[in-house]
Amino acid sequence: MPEGRRPPGRKPGSGPRHDAKDNRRRRDSRPEGRRRDDGPSVEPPPPPTARRVDEPGLPTATVLVKAKRARPFFGRHPWVLDTAIERVEGTPADGDVVDLATHEGRFIARGIWNASSRLRVRLYAFDSGVPLDAPFWRSRIQTAVALRRALGLDDRAGAARLINSEGDDLSGLIVDRYGDHLAVQLTSLAMAGRLDAICDALEEAVKPAGILLRGADRGLSKLEGLHLPDRVIRGTAPDGPVFIREGNLSWGVDLTEGQKTGFYLDQRENRRAAASLARDRRVLDLFCYSGGFAVTCAVTGSAKSVLAVDGSAKATALARANADFNGAANVTVETADAFTRIDSLAASAEKFGMVILDPPKFARSRGAIDEALRAYHRINRVAVDLLEPGGILVTCSCSGSVSRDDFLEMLSAVAQRSGRQIAMLECRGAAPDHPVSASCLEGEYLKCVIARVA
Ligand code: SAH
């Protein structure tokens, strides 16, 4: 099914929207890797990720890259695709530490092997003297937690992304803190095998009441041969929604059933930026999920009124609850398909002072980019029609494979087609607790343009 349009019968609200990392095409038809200790049994091999890795963190094999393919890894890019590999010296099991070397055998980096993924090696250290053992993971986690502290995001009543995969040199590991609870998302077998060491380090660094594993069996984790159901891995689960504070607002977050790990933390600053322009405006928040933009505009931004729409009934129930909880009586929440609803608003010549578009990921692969751009064009074109002169467009894309340039060109085409001037006030990204590694720009996915439409 092509992505990027409203496919008939597409189930809104299904699955996570922003996968912070690994925004590129990967297909893997290889069978699951067998563990090295699998005997000549007739039983099917157990899921590879069940293996717990307690090791000194030293390499069991050396992976040599093809000539002229080593440069990205000297530049600290952490993903070694199968196509870059010349040969392997040794027989590493999935999850083993391996060294990466040039075709002549010169050390480049140390990483973790997974034959079940096209992304054969994930690199974690670029110094041959460093074992990938428990103290190594602890130190990486402490560094990540210290960054959030420096960003002022250590308020126990609030929420923050503590670990952002490649952005924190921990490829395949995402950890979000919601109050006293942590939600862990795994997209690499490498990290899954070290879950114990990771949880030990997290407990030491932030002393959570509980650690939950979320979304591990969805999306990219499948490409890694991961089979980890959602569960409580340390401490206790919250007995209901967790309430977190952001400025003057409180959000109820469903840690066990919500989208992503429960809340779109990446949009924190963008919600505030939008709200700062919402005063006395009639606001439309399409794809509202739990009401992040809608409630911030209503309460912090003193909007005149807000219409919030999402296709998922679970999402709109959360949005309604969050609006009520924050005393936002002027927020109307509707469960509807956004594409149908925006067309009906246009057909009845409704006008808004602000339209917010934060759709799910339209392009999941490079091949789907054109289709995605057409969908962005279509919905932005209608949004511009709905805006009164001088209205504000807040338009987002979380498709990593759609570049910032492509997204801006789409907006440029919308300006041309609509005959309206679109003056961009801000081109924003994800909040700073979602750092992007300059060595792995694939980690940059969120675009949020705030523009005045004449
Ligand atoms: N702006 C939100 C996050 C939006 S995530 C926040 O700040 O929290 C994208 C949302 O789009 C999801 O809630 C999903 O349920 C919804 N969605 C996906 N397809 C949809 C469709 N066709 N119509 C309406 N909503 C849809």
Side-chain angles (χ1 to χ4, degrees):
M1 179 168 55
E3 288 171 291
R5 314 167 66 108
R6 170 178 48 106
R10 176 197 170 95
K11 232 173 89 212
S14 52
R17 180 193 66 154
H18 305 152
D19 288 319
K21 298 294 152 286
D22 302 13
N23 293 312
R24 80 207 169 278
R25 181 176 35 168
R26 290 202 275 127
R27 289 282 175 273
D28 194 356
S29 55
R30 283 177 62 101
E32 287 177 356
R34 284 176 66 90
R35 288 154 46 174
R36 203 173 19 194
D37 56 351
D38 286 338
S41 154
V42 290
E43 296 288 320
T49 53
R51 195 170 78 121
R52 184 187 142 160
V53 183
D54 291 313
E55 75 208 323
L58 294 170
T60 62
T62 301
V63 177
L64 295 103
V65 291
K66 290 178 182 162
K68 302 203 178 99
R69 298 290 295 274
R71 186 189 282 197
F73 312 119
F74 280 117
R76 305 178 75 93
H77 198 295
W79 300 338
V80 185
L81 293 181
D82 55 349
T83 50
I85 296 173
E86 167 92 31
R87 65 177 197 282
V88 180
E89 287 176 357
T91 49
D94 289 350
D96 274 3
V97 173
V98 294
D99 274 355
L100 190 76
T102 63
H103 69 290
E104 296 147 327
R106 182 152 70 97
F107 176 88
I108 306 174
R110 185 157 287 167
I112 293 172
W113 175 259
N114 181 8
S116 301
S117 172
R118 269 198 58 208
L119 208 162
R120 282 299 140 80
V121 185
R122 293 196 187 236
L123 301 176
Y124 293 95
F126 294 84
D127 176 344
S128 62
V130 178
L132 304 187
D133 56 4
F136 173 84
W137 305 115
R138 189 191 310 129
S139 152
R140 282 279 152 93
I141 287 167
Q142 283 171 346
T143 302
V145 170
L147 173 63
R148 279 57 184 187
R149 206 172 296 131
L151 291 169
L153 291 169
D154 53 346
D155 174 6
R156 289 303 279 202
R161 172 150 297 189
L162 295 185
I163 296 172
N164 195 40
S165 200
E166 287 80 10
D168 287 294
D169 288 333
L170 287 165
S171 182
L173 177 65
I174 288 170
V175 181
D176 290 335
R177 180 177 64 76
Y178 294 100
D180 283 332
H181 283 87
L182 301 183
V184 172
Q185 219 178 350
L186 295 166
T187 57
S188 75
L189 178 138
M191 292 292 90
R194 278 122 187 119
L195 199 51
D196 272 343
I198 289 165
C199 288
D200 289 347
L202 287 169
E203 287 195 317
E204 192 184 313
V206 288
K207 306 194 173 34
I211 305 180
L212 283 73
L213 192 59
R214 281 301 315 277
D217 56 348
R218 290 201 291 250
L220 287 160
S221 56
K222 284 191 190 143
L223 300 178
E224 289 275 312
L226 283 171
H227 309 275
L228 295 170
D230 288 6
R231 65 194 158 94
V232 179
I233 36 182
R234 294 281 169 96
T236 52
D239 50 4
V242 169
F243 288 91
I244 54 156
R245 280 202 75 76
E246 260 186 11
N248 59 337
L249 299 171
S250 286
W251 306 105
V253 179
D254 182 346
L255 282 194
T256 51
E257 291 228 355
Q259 294 181 26
K260 278 193 99 193
T261 61
F263 196 60
Y264 289 94
L265 296 171
D266 51 357
Q267 292 281 27
R268 181 194 309 111
E269 317 293 334
N270 298 335
R271 288 192 278 267
R272 286 186 195 144
S276 71
L277 295 164
R279 177 172 291 275
D280 296 332
R281 293 183 190 269
R282 183 184 182 208
V283 175
L284 172 63
D285 178 12
L286 278 183
F287 311 99
C288 69
Y289 182 49
S290 59
F293 279 97
V295 176
T296 311
C297 286
V299 179
T300 314
S302 306
K304 191 200 289 172
S305 65
V306 182
L307 174 58
V309 178
D310 199 283
S312 151
K314 274 190 184 163
T316 49
L318 291 170
R320 182 71 268 152
N322 278 324
D324 293 346
F325 193 64
N326 288 285
N330 58 350
V331 175
T332 305
V333 181
E334 285 182 11
T335 307
D337 178 86
F339 292 82
T340 312
R341 190 67 183 106
I342 198 171
D343 283 346
S344 75
L345 290 166
S348 52
E350 298 258 7
K351 291 291 169 203
F352 293 86
M354 176 180 279
V355 177
I356 299 156
L357 302 175
D358 185 18
K361 199 190 271 187
F362 281 158
R364 292 196 178 268
S365 68
R366 291 200 184 284
I369 293 175
D370 288 346
E371 194 96 33
L373 284 168
R374 278 196 289 279
Y376 285 121
H377 182 99
R378 175 164 128 56
I379 198 157
N380 278 274
R381 173 82 180 77
V382 185
V384 163
D385 282 348
L386 288 177
L387 280 170
E388 62 199 20
I392 300 289
L393 177 66
V394 180
T395 182
C396 309
S397 161
C398 59
S399 306
S401 40
V402 170
S403 71
R404 202 162 271 268
D405 281 357
D406 284 346
F407 192 65
L408 296 184
E409 268 171 34
M410 176 281 299
L411 263 190
S412 169
V414 168
Q416 192 188 345
R417 282 294 182 86
S418 61
R420 309 270 298 268
Q421 194 229 11
I422 299 179
M424 292 190 287
L425 311 178
E426 295 189 67
C427 294
R428 309 175 58 94
D433 49 341
H434 296 61
V436 177
S437 165
S439 306
C440 184
L441 295 175
E442 293 88 336
E444 220 222 344
Y445 63 98
L446 186 62
K447 281 82 59 189
C448 173
V449 175
I450 303 184
R452 179 183 184 276
V453 180

